[in-house]
Amino acid sequence: MKLQEADAKGLLVAQGLPVPPWSVAHTPTEARAAAERYRDEGADAVVIKAQVLVGGRGKAGGVKLAKGAAETVAAAILGMDIKGMTVRKVLVGPAADIVAEYYLAAVLDRAERRILLMGSAEGGVEIETVAEANPEAIIRLHADPALGLLPFQARRLAFAMGLEAHLKDAVRIAQGLVTTMRAYDADLVEINPLAVVREPGADGATVERLVCLDAKITLDDSALARHPGLEDLRDPDEEAPEDKAAREAGLTFIKLDGTIGCMVNGAGLAMATMDLVKRAGGEPANFLDIGGGARADKVAAAMALILSDPKVNAILVNIFGGITRGDEVAQGLIEARAQQARDVPMVVRIVGTNAAEAAVLLAQARFETAATLDEAAEKAVAASQAAGTAA
Ligand code: GDP
Ligand code: MN
């Protein structure tokens, strides 16, 4: 799950990291009110930033400074289309007086099973560009899985990035990114730019300090259950409609490119089923695990999800009844077929708990069944190929 910049900044602040103040505005009027507040506090300009879940907002015109006309600038950004995303809200904050921009991120390195820190003095530009044009400009080091980012590691990183003038803050921020990763089970915490900014000091002189000017956080969806409240930060625009439907129905669903819709219980059986479809010469349209103990309504939801993919021209149902009762699934299939918008050939194999009852129901409803999984896969592939030829 990707977080909007404003929400990501909230998590950084909660972990004690330095982030300049901000407000979120949904209308130009709200943006003006926020701008006036920051001006009253001494800011001579505000920055207005589109809150959309894509990178490169600056280049796309979604980040603007406003001296007086905050309302007009916000009006121009709100409703803007940035890489296919409509801007529905903006972040408003006092404009930072930037001295230098750096890049600093913590990412989950699955291969090393550690958190990887990446830093670069070439901040403000997309890191992919730096990685391609100038890979040695990126410093990489792994945090310790038990001890986190050790102080000497953080100092080494800060020196290599050229941040020796802000050593203490740089160390605190680098360690803070690792703390943030762990506190929320994040996959990525990216600060780009991490910026040295000039600010008025207490005695009227200007001071320079290091702040997180932009923030991007992605969370591990599978760990959200451990963090009450974070689910509320999900942006409805981020998710594909089928992913949303699957999540709400409690189904594990991954869309693929083929033509044969698969409905299976259990992740291992779902993978085996996909292998057999491939071996029979077909291409699965999805991975779908209806889970253990699925009842009729869940089966109907799964069927609707499979059929929402226009490429699906055959369906293979493979259920191994344990806690899941075969007759419940059969009932769900019958209900789903009565409601479904289009008619697609379906092959059903149900074994295990209440398989005999299921067989009676399926026979009455004239479903095509198969005794073995090989037979089911072959029948589904044949049906799909026939449908493909006919189309
Ligand atoms: P992104 O393009 O989506 O990554 O959005 P950023 O928040 O990183 O902003 C892009 C760029 O706009 C930054 O790299 C800065 O150069 C500039 N920028 C962002 N905020 C400010 C600000 O408060 N003051 C100034 N002067 N420039 C800013
Ligand atoms: Mn950025």
Side-chain angles (χ1 to χ4, degrees):
M1 173 172 123
K2 291 184 192 169
L3 297 187
Q4 294 284 5
E5 175 191 1
D7 296 324
K9 284 181 165 174
L11 298 189
L12 294 181
V13 169
Q15 294 301 317
L17 291 167
V19 181
W22 76 90
S23 306
V24 173
H26 295 86
T27 62
T29 318
E30 282 177 23
R32 187 180 69 185
E36 279 168 2
R37 248 184 302 121
Y38 293 121
R39 272 199 208 99
D40 289 346
E41 290 166 14
D44 47 54
V46 291
V47 62
I48 300 182
K49 305 171 74 173
Q51 294 297 284
V52 280
L53 293 167
V54 292
R57 293 165 301 164
K59 254 192 228 155
V63 177
K64 293 251 159 65
L65 297 181
K67 275 244 169 221
E71 196 167 357
T72 320
V73 174
I77 294 177
L78 285 162
M80 196 183 250
D81 184 284
I82 300 183
K83 301 182 187 171
M85 299 274 204
T86 307
V87 182
R88 300 184 200 284
K89 50 190 177 183
V90 291
L91 176 149
V92 183
D97 182 2
I98 301 173
V99 179
E101 300 188 41
Y102 300 82
Y103 175 93
L104 187 62
V107 298
L108 190 63
D109 184 342
R110 290 176 197 277
E112 290 292 325
R113 293 179 285 175
R114 282 161 196 249
I115 293 171
L116 172 68
L117 275 116
M118 296 200 289
S120 176
E122 299 193 17
V125 282
E126 275 178 54
I127 196 67
E128 290 81 4
T129 317
V130 182
E132 222 170 85
N134 198 5
E136 65 281 5
I138 303 172
I139 301 113
R140 297 160 198 266
L141 57 89
H142 289 100
D144 185 279
L147 305 170
L149 188 70
L150 295 161
F152 85 90
Q153 291 184 296
R155 281 196 295 274
R156 184 177 290 172
L157 180 66
F159 273 106
M161 288 170 67
L163 275 169
E164 56 276 2
H166 297 275
L167 192 58
K168 245 176 104 179
D169 284 340
V171 166
R172 196 159 63 84
I173 293 169
Q175 290 186 307
L177 295 196
V178 174
T179 317
T180 305
M181 286 282 282
R182 293 175 143 194
Y184 307 108
D185 289 308
D187 293 331
L188 169 78
V189 180
E190 185 188 68
I191 313 301
N192 188 23
L194 172 69
V196 174
V197 298
R198 217 176 273 128
E199 287 178 354
D203 53 358
T206 57
V207 292
E208 289 188 359
R209 70 175 187 127
L210 198 57
V211 295
C212 304
L213 214 53
D214 187 13
K216 183 169 157 187
I217 294 183
T218 60
L219 302 174
D220 180 349
D221 279 298
S222 305
L224 282 173
R226 296 176 8 140
H227 307 283
L230 288 186
E231 181 68 53
D232 301 342
L233 303 180
R234 189 185 290 279
D235 187 309
D237 289 349
E238 177 214 9
E239 237 182 350
E242 64 266 19
D243 291 344
K244 183 163 185 258
R247 188 169 49 77
E248 286 172 355
L251 303 162
T252 307
F253 176 81
I254 295 159
K255 196 176 171 319
L256 302 167
D257 272 342
T259 57
I260 300 173
C262 301
M263 188 194 301
V264 189
N265 65 326
L269 190 60
M271 283 191 275
T273 304
M274 289 161 59
D275 283 349
L276 287 173
V277 165
K278 283 215 166 216
R279 196 174 68 173
E283 286 294 334
N286 62 274
F287 169 100
L288 198 168
D289 172 10
I290 61 171
R295 303 187 72 99
D297 53 343
K298 213 165 170 187
V299 173
M303 189 58 67
L305 198 56
I306 290 175
L307 284 169
S308 69
D309 177 355
K311 278 173 79 178
V312 168
N313 60 14
I315 296 173
L316 170 53
V317 179
N318 183 26
I319 301 297
F320 191 90
I323 298 169
T324 309
R325 283 170 42 190
D327 58 326
E328 276 273 358
V329 173
Q331 198 56 51
L333 291 173
I334 291 163
E335 279 170 28
R337 195 172 61 178
Q339 294 164 13
Q340 77 196 29
R342 64 195 179 96
D343 200 20
V344 168
M346 196 186 307
V347 183
V348 186
R349 175 196 180 238
I350 298 178
V351 292
T353 309
N354 290 5
E357 289 85 341
V360 172
L361 286 170
L362 292 172
Q364 280 169 356
R366 296 176 185 283
F367 270 89
E368 168 116 51
T369 56
T372 69
L373 185 43
D374 280 320
E375 185 195 337
E378 274 158 28
K379 279 184 172 172
V381 171
S384 174
Q385 283 166 351
T389 319

